[in-house]
Amino acid sequence: MPKVFLVFILITLFVGNVASGQPITASRADSLRGSSRIERSCYDVLTYDLFVHIDTLSQVIAGNNRIGFRATTDFESMQIDLFSNLNISKITMDGKELTYRREFNAVFIDTGKKIKQGENKAVIVHYSGKPLIAKNAPWDGGFTWARDKKGKMWIAVSCQGIGASLWWPCKEDLSDKPESMNIHCNVPSGLRCVANGIEEPMIKNNDGTNTYN
């Protein structure tokens, strides 16, 4: 029922704008996020290998994502997506640091050399920051920092509508899904991470944290 209601609202808004003669225009940020630009279509995502540390006290996340891809055409510039409130410390390929520029939530990476069609490569994006807080989860996107009835920390992220790039760097394009993904979540001991996929053995670290894979 909520889906039907949402579709009805969108149709009503569209018809209302047309009837009133109001033009429907997309902003630059909308175009970067929603269009199939050459910097996006030039590569096909194969794998994601995400590591993220959750700092429950400061409500900060930090980590890196290895984005494995295959070039669909020759290129020297590619686009990934990450919300602008999250900082990027560096982006590397083949052990070398790459230059990049940010525009709204889009990140344009200069590969430093021509990547040829059919070539398999990977970029590693290192990032950190305070993610967006959901105002009314799960209906709007963001993190929820809360406690359960026993007073224990309970943290969740809602991103199905707004997109995964609100908390980790990726190619935010519904037409390009990876063939596989690994998720490594590092949390304080006493907390358990639950995520998509098949859980592997937990790793206990010497710093009082556990890593769930």
mmCIF file of all heavy atoms in Angstrom, residues 48 50 52 61 65 67 81-83 86 127 159 164-172 178 181:
data_model
loop_
_atom_site.group_PDB
_atom_site.id
_atom_site.type_symbol
_atom_site.label_atom_id
_atom_site.label_comp_id
_atom_site.label_asym_id
_atom_site.label_seq_id
_atom_site.Cartn_x
_atom_site.Cartn_y
_atom_site.Cartn_z
ATOM 1 N N TYR A 48 32.987 -5.279 -4.976
ATOM 2 C CA TYR A 48 33.234 -4.312 -3.910
ATOM 3 C C TYR A 48 33.842 -5.077 -2.738
ATOM 4 O O TYR A 48 33.406 -6.183 -2.415
ATOM 5 C CB TYR A 48 31.938 -3.652 -3.434
ATOM 6 C CG TYR A 48 31.308 -2.670 -4.393
ATOM 7 C CD1 TYR A 48 29.968 -2.795 -4.765
ATOM 8 C CD2 TYR A 48 32.029 -1.597 -4.890
ATOM 9 C CE1 TYR A 48 29.370 -1.890 -5.618
ATOM 10 C CE2 TYR A 48 31.438 -0.682 -5.762
ATOM 11 C CZ TYR A 48 30.114 -0.838 -6.114
ATOM 12 O OH TYR A 48 29.532 0.065 -6.971
ATOM 13 N N LEU A 50 34.472 -3.854 0.979
ATOM 14 C CA LEU A 50 34.269 -2.715 1.873
ATOM 15 C C LEU A 50 34.717 -3.039 3.293
ATOM 16 O O LEU A 50 34.333 -4.063 3.860
ATOM 17 C CB LEU A 50 32.792 -2.320 1.882
ATOM 18 C CG LEU A 50 32.357 -1.257 2.902
ATOM 19 C CD1 LEU A 50 32.978 0.092 2.565
ATOM 20 C CD2 LEU A 50 30.834 -1.156 2.946
ATOM 21 N N VAL A 52 34.659 -1.017 7.014
ATOM 22 C CA VAL A 52 34.192 0.193 7.691
ATOM 23 C C VAL A 52 34.278 0.009 9.201
ATOM 24 O O VAL A 52 33.885 -1.031 9.742
ATOM 25 C CB VAL A 52 32.751 0.562 7.259
ATOM 26 C CG1 VAL A 52 31.771 -0.565 7.549
ATOM 27 C CG2 VAL A 52 32.293 1.850 7.917
ATOM 28 N N ILE A 61 32.229 7.222 11.079
ATOM 29 C CA ILE A 61 32.621 6.005 10.394
ATOM 30 C C ILE A 61 33.895 6.281 9.604
ATOM 31 O O ILE A 61 34.148 7.415 9.190
ATOM 32 C CB ILE A 61 31.517 5.472 9.446
ATOM 33 C CG1 ILE A 61 31.206 6.495 8.350
ATOM 34 C CG2 ILE A 61 30.251 5.143 10.236
ATOM 35 C CD1 ILE A 61 30.219 5.981 7.304
ATOM 36 N N ASN A 65 37.023 1.291 0.524
ATOM 37 C CA ASN A 65 36.327 0.370 -0.374
ATOM 38 C C ASN A 65 37.166 0.137 -1.614
ATOM 39 O O ASN A 65 37.596 1.086 -2.272
ATOM 40 C CB ASN A 65 34.948 0.914 -0.770
ATOM 41 C CG ASN A 65 34.138 -0.117 -1.556
ATOM 42 O OD1 ASN A 65 34.307 -1.317 -1.361
ATOM 43 N ND2 ASN A 65 33.255 0.353 -2.427
ATOM 44 N N ILE A 67 37.081 -1.001 -5.260
ATOM 45 C CA ILE A 67 36.102 -1.122 -6.337
ATOM 46 C C ILE A 67 36.788 -1.773 -7.533
ATOM 47 O O ILE A 67 37.602 -1.151 -8.217
ATOM 48 C CB ILE A 67 35.538 0.257 -6.737
ATOM 49 C CG1 ILE A 67 34.944 0.966 -5.516
ATOM 50 C CG2 ILE A 67 34.491 0.110 -7.838
ATOM 51 C CD1 ILE A 67 34.519 2.396 -5.775
ATOM 52 N N ASP A 81 30.551 7.692 -6.483
ATOM 53 C CA ASP A 81 29.654 8.534 -5.712
ATOM 54 C C ASP A 81 29.902 8.363 -4.218
ATOM 55 O O ASP A 81 30.098 7.250 -3.729
ATOM 56 C CB ASP A 81 28.202 8.183 -6.042
ATOM 57 C CG ASP A 81 27.907 8.294 -7.538
ATOM 58 O OD1 ASP A 81 27.668 9.418 -7.993
ATOM 59 O OD2 ASP A 81 27.946 7.265 -8.231
ATOM 60 N N LEU A 82 29.905 9.495 -3.503
ATOM 61 C CA LEU A 82 30.025 9.506 -2.052
ATOM 62 C C LEU A 82 29.494 10.846 -1.559
ATOM 63 O O LEU A 82 29.886 11.903 -2.066
ATOM 64 C CB LEU A 82 31.478 9.326 -1.605
ATOM 65 C CG LEU A 82 31.706 9.279 -0.088
ATOM 66 C CD1 LEU A 82 31.092 8.008 0.505
ATOM 67 C CD2 LEU A 82 33.187 9.355 0.248
ATOM 68 N N PHE A 83 28.608 10.806 -0.580
ATOM 69 C CA PHE A 83 28.008 12.047 -0.089
ATOM 70 C C PHE A 83 29.091 13.033 0.333
ATOM 71 O O PHE A 83 30.092 12.661 0.944
ATOM 72 C CB PHE A 83 27.058 11.751 1.077
ATOM 73 C CG PHE A 83 25.658 11.428 0.640
ATOM 74 C CD1 PHE A 83 25.424 10.686 -0.510
ATOM 75 C CD2 PHE A 83 24.567 11.861 1.371
ATOM 76 C CE1 PHE A 83 24.129 10.391 -0.927
ATOM 77 C CE2 PHE A 83 23.274 11.576 0.969
ATOM 78 C CZ PHE A 83 23.054 10.843 -0.180
ATOM 79 N N LEU A 86 31.090 13.362 3.723
ATOM 80 C CA LEU A 86 32.121 12.395 4.077
ATOM 81 C C LEU A 86 33.420 12.764 3.366
ATOM 82 O O LEU A 86 33.415 13.068 2.166
ATOM 83 C CB LEU A 86 31.684 10.979 3.698
ATOM 84 C CG LEU A 86 30.454 10.452 4.440
ATOM 85 C CD1 LEU A 86 30.062 9.076 3.912
ATOM 86 C CD2 LEU A 86 30.687 10.409 5.942
ATOM 87 N N TYR A 127 38.091 6.819 3.201
ATOM 88 C CA TYR A 127 37.169 7.892 3.550
ATOM 89 C C TYR A 127 36.818 7.843 5.037
ATOM 90 O O TYR A 127 37.080 6.854 5.734
ATOM 91 C CB TYR A 127 35.893 7.784 2.720
ATOM 92 C CG TYR A 127 34.997 6.628 3.144
ATOM 93 C CD1 TYR A 127 33.823 6.869 3.852
ATOM 94 C CD2 TYR A 127 35.327 5.308 2.861
ATOM 95 C CE1 TYR A 127 33.004 5.832 4.271
ATOM 96 C CE2 TYR A 127 34.512 4.266 3.259
ATOM 97 C CZ TYR A 127 33.356 4.521 3.969
ATOM 98 O OH TYR A 127 32.556 3.494 4.396
ATOM 99 N N CYS A 159 19.162 3.021 3.686
ATOM 100 C CA CYS A 159 19.663 3.689 2.479
ATOM 101 C C CYS A 159 19.034 3.179 1.185
ATOM 102 O O CYS A 159 19.510 3.510 0.104
ATOM 103 C CB CYS A 159 21.183 3.543 2.397
ATOM 104 S SG CYS A 159 21.776 1.843 2.256
ATOM 105 N N ALA A 164 23.320 3.922 -1.264
ATOM 106 C CA ALA A 164 24.397 3.458 -0.387
ATOM 107 C C ALA A 164 25.533 4.461 -0.261
ATOM 108 O O ALA A 164 26.291 4.422 0.713
ATOM 109 C CB ALA A 164 24.946 2.129 -0.904
ATOM 110 N N SER A 165 25.662 5.378 -1.219
ATOM 111 C CA SER A 165 26.771 6.341 -1.167
ATOM 112 C C SER A 165 26.633 7.334 -0.027
ATOM 113 O O SER A 165 27.514 8.159 0.174
ATOM 114 C CB SER A 165 26.906 7.077 -2.501
ATOM 115 O OG SER A 165 25.725 7.790 -2.821
ATOM 116 N N LEU A 166 25.555 7.256 0.753
ATOM 117 C CA LEU A 166 25.452 8.097 1.940
ATOM 118 C C LEU A 166 26.402 7.610 3.030
ATOM 119 O O LEU A 166 26.703 8.352 3.972
ATOM 120 C CB LEU A 166 24.019 8.172 2.461
ATOM 121 C CG LEU A 166 23.432 7.027 3.308
ATOM 122 C CD1 LEU A 166 23.817 7.147 4.777
ATOM 123 C CD2 LEU A 166 21.911 7.029 3.201
ATOM 124 N N TRP A 167 26.908 6.318 2.878
ATOM 125 C CA TRP A 167 27.844 5.856 3.913
ATOM 126 C C TRP A 167 29.038 5.065 3.390
ATOM 127 O O TRP A 167 29.945 4.744 4.145
ATOM 128 C CB TRP A 167 27.108 5.066 4.995
ATOM 129 C CG TRP A 167 26.531 3.738 4.592
ATOM 130 C CD1 TRP A 167 25.427 3.521 3.809
ATOM 131 C CD2 TRP A 167 26.995 2.448 4.987
ATOM 132 N NE1 TRP A 167 25.182 2.179 3.682
ATOM 133 C CE2 TRP A 167 26.125 1.490 4.403
ATOM 134 C CE3 TRP A 167 28.055 1.991 5.768
ATOM 135 C CZ2 TRP A 167 26.293 0.118 4.581
ATOM 136 C CZ3 TRP A 167 28.211 0.614 5.942
ATOM 137 C CH2 TRP A 167 27.330 -0.299 5.354
ATOM 138 N N TRP A 168 29.101 4.775 2.091
ATOM 139 C CA TRP A 168 30.321 4.191 1.532
ATOM 140 C C TRP A 168 30.428 4.506 0.042
ATOM 141 O O TRP A 168 29.419 4.652 -0.651
ATOM 142 C CB TRP A 168 30.407 2.682 1.789
ATOM 143 C CG TRP A 168 29.269 1.830 1.303
ATOM 144 C CD1 TRP A 168 28.060 1.662 1.904
ATOM 145 C CD2 TRP A 168 29.239 1.010 0.128
ATOM 146 N NE1 TRP A 168 27.281 0.789 1.184
ATOM 147 C CE2 TRP A 168 27.981 0.368 0.095
ATOM 148 C CE3 TRP A 168 30.160 0.741 -0.890
ATOM 149 C CZ2 TRP A 168 27.612 -0.510 -0.923
ATOM 150 C CZ3 TRP A 168 29.790 -0.135 -1.895
ATOM 151 C CH2 TRP A 168 28.538 -0.748 -1.904
ATOM 152 N N PRO A 169 31.661 4.662 -0.470
ATOM 153 C CA PRO A 169 31.878 5.050 -1.875
ATOM 154 C C PRO A 169 31.547 3.910 -2.823
ATOM 155 O O PRO A 169 31.974 2.765 -2.609
ATOM 156 C CB PRO A 169 33.370 5.400 -1.915
ATOM 157 C CG PRO A 169 33.978 4.636 -0.786
ATOM 158 C CD PRO A 169 32.931 4.556 0.279
ATOM 159 N N CYS A 170 30.810 4.207 -3.862
ATOM 160 C CA CYS A 170 30.383 3.179 -4.813
ATOM 161 C C CYS A 170 29.946 3.841 -6.115
ATOM 162 O O CYS A 170 29.994 5.059 -6.247
ATOM 163 C CB CYS A 170 29.227 2.352 -4.234
ATOM 164 S SG CYS A 170 27.759 3.337 -3.819
ATOM 165 N N LYS A 171 29.543 3.035 -7.054
ATOM 166 C CA LYS A 171 28.930 3.540 -8.281
ATOM 167 C C LYS A 171 27.425 3.476 -8.068
ATOM 168 O O LYS A 171 26.835 2.406 -8.093
ATOM 169 C CB LYS A 171 29.348 2.694 -9.486
ATOM 170 C CG LYS A 171 28.770 3.178 -10.820
ATOM 171 C CD LYS A 171 29.250 2.283 -11.963
ATOM 172 C CE LYS A 171 28.672 2.717 -13.300
ATOM 173 N NZ LYS A 171 29.133 1.842 -14.416
ATOM 174 N N GLU A 172 26.816 4.628 -7.843
ATOM 175 C CA GLU A 172 25.398 4.703 -7.493
ATOM 176 C C GLU A 172 24.549 4.672 -8.750
ATOM 177 O O GLU A 172 23.960 5.668 -9.152
ATOM 178 C CB GLU A 172 25.133 5.975 -6.693
ATOM 179 C CG GLU A 172 23.828 5.970 -5.928
ATOM 180 C CD GLU A 172 23.889 5.131 -4.671
ATOM 181 O OE1 GLU A 172 24.304 5.639 -3.628
ATOM 182 O OE2 GLU A 172 23.514 3.945 -4.745
ATOM 183 N N PRO A 178 27.321 -5.150 -8.787
ATOM 184 C CA PRO A 178 28.543 -5.961 -8.755
ATOM 185 C C PRO A 178 28.227 -7.447 -8.814
ATOM 186 O O PRO A 178 27.128 -7.870 -8.442
ATOM 187 C CB PRO A 178 29.162 -5.593 -7.405
ATOM 188 C CG PRO A 178 27.989 -5.251 -6.548
ATOM 189 C CD PRO A 178 27.027 -4.552 -7.469
ATOM 190 N N MET A 181 30.353 -9.031 -3.439
ATOM 191 C CA MET A 181 30.740 -7.989 -2.501
ATOM 192 C C MET A 181 31.137 -8.614 -1.173
ATOM 193 O O MET A 181 30.492 -9.550 -0.699
ATOM 194 C CB MET A 181 29.600 -6.998 -2.271
ATOM 195 C CG MET A 181 29.954 -5.901 -1.277
ATOM 196 S SD MET A 181 28.725 -4.582 -1.213
ATOM 197 C CE MET A 181 29.521 -3.465 -0.052
#
